[in-house]
Amino acid sequence: MIVVAGLLLAFVLVLVFSNPATRACRWREDRRGDRDGLKKFRCMACGAEGFTSTGKPPLDCRADQTPPDK
C-alpha cells in the first residue's frame, strides 16, 4: 500500500512541476553565437534560437515566435 501511495505521489508531483511549454524543446548551447555576455542556445527539435544572460537554457519554446528584423 505504501508503494502505491508513493507512486501516486510521484506521478502527481511530475504533473505539477513539469513545464508543458518546453516539453518538446531540446536546447543546446551554441558557443559560436555568443555575444555581449549572452549565451546562445538552439533547439535541436524545432531550430528555434534564444539568448540568455544566466548561462542556462531558455525556459520557454520560441518555435512559434517570429525572429526580429535585422
Side-chain angles (χ1 to χ4, degrees):
M1 184 66 179
I2 293 175
V3 173
V4 173
L7 288 173
L8 183 62
L9 178 65
F11 180 72
V12 169
L13 288 175
V14 166
L15 286 177
V16 169
F17 290 111
S18 68
N19 187 356
T22 60
R23 190 168 289 152
C25 285
R26 295 189 314 264
W27 294 104
R28 300 292 184 261
E29 185 176 356
D30 181 8
R31 292 184 180 163
R32 294 175 290 157
D34 291 352
R35 61 178 177 192
D36 300 327
L38 297 175
K39 296 277 186 179
K40 181 180 178 182
F41 289 89
R42 177 182 292 273
C43 178
M44 294 294 112
C46 64
E49 295 179 350
F51 291 89
T52 63
S53 60
T54 62
K56 296 180 180 178
L59 297 176
D60 55 341
C61 184
R62 295 188 169 94
D64 59 349
Q65 295 178 357
T66 57
D69 293 331
K70 293 185 178 181

